[in-house]
Amino acid sequence: MSKTIVIEAPAKINLMLDIKGKRSDGYHELETLMHQIDLVDKIHIKKDSSISIKSNSLEIPNDSSNLAYKAAQLILRTYGRGEGAAIFIDKNIPVGAGLAGGSTDAAAVLKGINILYNYDISDEKLAYISAQIGSDVPFCLQGNPRIIMDETVEGTAFKNDQNIEGSTCIARGRGELLTPLESKVLPWILLVKPDFQLSTAEVYGKFKMENVHIIPDLNAFIKAWEIYDIIELSHYCENVLETVSATLYPEIMQIKKSLERLGAVKATMSGSGPAVFGVFIHPEDALKAQQVMKESYSETYLVSSYGRGD
Ligand code: ATP
């Protein structure tokens, strides 16, 4: 029986994000396209008698306010018999960037503990637990991440065939109502995270529908996605939250412009920001742009879709 597990937790970008209105529960009604990329945290989980969190990052809490801790607590309380988990987060995803760093760590903990303790919890039940942690966690549970164990577990719930695959979904509601799209690879994405963080709650709180002048066209995006026309689909990458974040921090607009000047078909902010991604077609443009952007932004990452078959 395995005692430790290492599971990859991929970041997401929002290829498109639209807000359809305000709900009676105070949340916004979303319509967004989420896509996992190969920028990953590595979550090490070891069987233990209590829950503990450590990480290599000073930017995230190591107590019960860490989303990974909350995930462990929920699953162990619901399905455990008094067992715990020692969790180490090897953090690579920029924090407070709009890349769902905390949510993906939480999703990886749910998956990992389910396997480690052989709880055999169904995908539906895991999805139900995940929605209690945060709106992005159900999406982060999708996909098939790389999992490494210290020994092979025989006759358990563990079924990772190592067919590593990222997920792309339309997310509606608060983000938890998911419609998966066919898996496609965007091979050249340049991600730039400026040197500040944004609070998701603050950005949503300041959103005003009347400031939106470009309405994202989900149907046009999906058509281009289905025929895998990267140039066409890139044109439909829009995010209405830029009306808030780029007003608070005009630097976001400057990064978008720089990426497009350097050859991105389109550059768009992810989530509530401030991370911005540019979709490139030509590798030589992407590599050159990486070099240029890196001079001003140390947190510049050249990535592709998660699990591009390797
Ligand atoms: P989203 O895209 O889901 O809105 P985000 O990428 O903007 O999220 P996170 O990186 O998840 O933001 O961090 C948001 C806040 O959550 C930070 O203040 C951070 O301290 C806290 N947090 C708690 N647990 C974690 C974790 N495991 N990883 C990152 N941040 C965490």
Side-chain angles (χ1 to χ4, degrees):
M1 176 67 81
S2 177
K3 290 197 179 63
T4 64
I5 193 166
V6 183
I7 179 162
E8 285 186 348
K12 60 86 182 151
I13 52 174
N14 298 79
L15 293 169
M16 200 212 81
L17 192 153
D18 195 11
I19 292 177
K20 295 296 189 189
K22 192 98 188 267
R23 299 152 47 119
S24 52
D25 60 8
Y27 283 92
H28 290 84
E29 187 66 34
L30 278 182
E31 189 168 75
T32 181
L33 257 155
M34 303 209 255
H35 181 72
Q36 287 181 315
I37 55 173
D38 66 357
L39 176 61
V40 303
D41 289 345
K42 290 195 180 125
I43 313 298
H44 301 242
I45 312 171
K46 202 169 161 192
K47 286 185 178 176
D48 207 348
S49 53
S50 59
I51 303 172
S52 61
I53 298 272
K54 287 190 179 138
S55 87
N56 60 350
S57 165
L58 296 175
E59 292 180 78
I60 60 170
N62 57 8
D63 57 18
S64 60
S65 64
N66 194 302
L67 294 184
Y69 190 106
K70 288 188 180 162
Q73 206 171 33
L74 258 175
I75 190 171
L76 290 165
R77 265 192 199 156
T78 315
Y79 293 95
R81 281 160 240 95
E83 50 268 28
I87 298 166
F88 177 79
I89 302 174
D90 179 0
K91 194 89 194 146
N92 298 299
I93 303 171
V95 176
L99 301 169
S103 304
T104 192
D105 292 353
V109 165
L110 293 180
K111 270 196 177 154
I113 290 182
N114 188 27
I115 296 167
L116 201 58
Y117 282 118
N118 194 17
Y119 288 155
D120 209 4
I121 308 168
S122 67
D123 289 348
E124 291 71 27
K125 285 185 178 147
L126 274 187
Y128 177 77
I129 298 182
S130 70
Q132 297 170 47
I133 305 165
S135 308
D136 286 346
V137 189
F139 168 74
C140 296
L141 263 187
Q142 310 292 308
N144 202 14
R146 184 171 285 106
I147 297 176
I148 303 156
M149 295 204 278
D150 62 345
E151 297 165 35
T152 310
V153 186
E154 285 172 32
T156 71
F158 178 64
K159 289 192 212 83
N160 188 359
D161 48 11
Q162 297 287 304
N163 175 27
I164 314 302
E165 194 164 65
S167 173
T168 306
C169 286
I170 304 167
R172 296 193 172 89
R174 288 166 50 186
E176 80 288 12
L177 305 174
L178 301 171
T179 310
L181 294 190
E182 206 181 305
S183 174
K184 308 261 191 243
V185 169
L186 303 176
W188 303 101
I189 300 166
L190 190 63
L191 192 65
V192 178
K193 153 73 172 55
D195 198 16
F196 54 88
Q197 299 184 9
L198 273 169
S199 143
T200 305
E202 185 190 349
V203 172
Y204 276 95
K206 291 189 168 148
F207 177 77
K208 288 204 174 68
M209 206 71 99
E210 60 266 30
N211 292 335
V212 174
H213 301 300
I214 303 171
I215 297 168
D217 188 342
L218 178 66
N219 289 332
F221 181 98
I222 292 172
K223 272 191 197 147
W225 184 265
E226 279 167 355
I227 58 168
Y228 196 27
D229 184 335
I230 298 181
I231 297 181
E232 179 74 3
L233 70 87
S234 302
H235 289 305
Y236 296 109
C237 289
E238 296 287 350
N239 181 346
V240 299
L241 290 176
E242 286 176 9
T243 56
V244 181
S245 305
T247 304
L248 292 171
Y249 290 95
E251 196 176 345
I252 291 172
M253 221 29 108
Q254 285 158 20
I255 296 171
K256 279 176 50 130
K257 282 191 185 139
S258 301
L259 285 169
E260 288 175 359
R261 217 174 20 241
L262 289 162
V265 186
K266 185 74 182 275
T268 311
M269 187 180 80
S270 179
S272 50
V276 172
F277 64 91
V279 181
F280 286 78
I281 299 294
H282 304 293
E284 59 278 15
D285 288 346
L287 288 161
K288 177 82 182 103
Q290 180 190 24
Q291 238 177 29
V292 174
M293 295 307 288
K294 196 119 202 168
E295 285 167 17
S296 312
Y297 298 100
S298 60
E299 291 183 280
T300 295
Y301 308 86
L302 186 56
V303 298
S304 67
S305 308
Y306 183 71
R308 44 183 306 190
D310 49 10

